[in-house]
Amino acid sequence: MDEPTSMLDQAVKEEICEIIQQVSKARHSAFLMVTHDITLAGQICKRICVMSEGEIIEQGETTEIFQNPKEKLTQHLIMIGMDVRAYWEEHYDV
């Protein structure tokens, strides 16, 4: 899946996430999802790989990645996803 919820409002995003999880469970299937939204990945994925310039720079169980991100890019993606305003204020004096 490539950006399965981009350009959708929050309510529809949540519905799509629920459907993906239901299909995965019912069919005992796995999906590969490509997204810029690490918080979305955190909601529905068991494992996450973070890529930079075409290379995997960090990967692991979702809970481990969110609780202990090792790479600066991963930390920034999580921070952006959790609180965009705080990220901009911290990095750009907005």
Side-chain angles (χ1 to χ4, degrees):
M1 297 179 288
D2 185 4
E3 298 284 357
T5 62
S6 68
M7 306 304 289
L8 299 176
D9 66 41
Q10 190 59 37
V12 177
K13 266 187 193 184
E14 290 172 11
E15 282 184 52
I16 297 296
C17 289
E18 189 173 312
I19 291 168
I20 291 168
Q21 289 173 316
Q22 288 172 355
V23 169
S24 177
K25 185 176 182 180
R27 297 187 182 231
H28 305 285
S29 300
F31 295 98
L32 174 66
M33 180 174 67
V34 177
T35 183
H36 290 89
D37 185 348
I38 198 167
T39 55
L40 170 70
Q43 290 177 325
I44 62 175
C45 298
K46 293 180 181 178
R47 295 187 54 81
I48 292 178
C49 293
V50 178
M51 296 181 73
S52 177
E53 299 181 19
E55 301 288 330
I56 295 174
I57 61 167
E58 186 165 4
Q59 63 179 312
E61 298 291 323
T62 299
T63 53
E64 177 63 25
I65 295 291
F66 273 81
Q67 291 174 355
N68 189 26
K70 294 177 178 35
E71 295 292 327
K72 194 156 194 78
L73 176 61
T74 307
Q75 295 166 5
H76 283 188
L77 290 171
I78 292 168
M79 193 181 315
I80 290 168
M82 299 301 186
D83 189 350
V84 173
R85 184 175 215 44
Y87 175 85
W88 282 100
E89 288 173 353
E90 179 182 333
H91 293 281
Y92 298 101
D93 295 325
V94 173

